[in-house]
Amino acid sequence: MNEQSKIEVETVDAVAAPPKARVEDVRETFERKRDYLDGFLSQKPAEAPVGGAGGATQEAIVDALKEIFDPEIPVNIYDLGLIYNVEVTPDGHAVVTMTLTTPHCPVAESMPAEVELRVGAVPGVGHAEVNLVWDPPWDPMKMSDEARLELGML
């Protein structure tokens, strides 16, 4: 072995700890920038419109729809996933988009009329309209967890 590649071993009792960072040291060199969340966090959430999405009228319509049960399945039509959309305009016009479990459903003629009557009876609704659609077709995956639990599918 030559002199240049010789390995030396040194034994030490302790190693000095590295210096710890101090907040006081950083404050002198660091300038805190304006907190951009201050204005955002101080804002209050906007009130939901009475007739709009999430409003009191829409919630009342959903509650009314939860009182209508499918005659063959002991679950309400909302939890069954037959209601695709509920829209309410500020002037009280309610539009419900729904489907049925099958086009050959025995209540295919009477169910939309019952939905229209129940929605029209909700306070704050001036006119109710029901659109019966077949696309996308209903399938059991559209059911809520409560409906699946009721039918023993969960």
Side-chain angles (χ1 to χ4, degrees):
M1 203 180 268
N2 60 20
E3 291 291 321
Q4 291 177 342
S5 62
K6 186 175 179 183
I7 299 175
E8 292 185 26
V9 177
E10 179 182 353
T11 306
V12 294
D13 293 330
V15 177
K20 293 184 179 180
R22 303 276 182 222
V23 175
E24 294 81 23
D25 298 339
V26 176
R27 283 188 185 162
E28 295 172 5
T29 60
F30 178 76
E31 179 183 337
R32 182 176 169 118
K33 302 221 185 307
R34 180 168 115 42
D35 193 353
Y36 291 99
L37 289 178
D38 279 345
F40 175 76
L41 295 175
S42 65
Q43 291 178 352
K44 300 292 181 207
E47 291 284 329
V50 174
T57 305
Q58 186 172 12
E59 289 177 17
I61 290 172
V62 169
D63 290 341
L65 292 172
K66 287 184 177 183
E67 294 177 1
I68 304 171
F69 284 82
D70 187 289
E72 297 174 326
I73 306 170
V75 176
N76 68 66
I77 62 171
Y78 190 83
D79 287 335
L80 200 55
L82 297 178
I83 305 299
Y84 286 167
N85 192 18
V86 176
E87 294 179 17
V88 183
T89 62
D91 60 340
H93 181 79
V95 179
V96 176
T97 305
M98 68 174 291
T99 192
L100 297 172
T101 53
T102 177
H104 306 291
C105 182
V107 293
E109 292 181 21
S110 62
M111 182 68 75
E114 183 179 357
V115 169
E116 187 174 345
L117 284 173
R118 294 277 182 105
V119 170
V122 171
V125 175
H127 176 72
E129 179 183 338
V130 175
N131 295 327
L132 186 62
V133 297
W134 301 108
D135 189 39
W138 179 86
D139 63 78
M141 294 308 297
K142 294 187 180 355
M143 294 170 41
S144 69
D145 289 340
E146 292 84 10
R148 288 192 190 120
L149 185 63
E150 179 73 28
L151 297 175
M153 297 173 67
L154 189 64

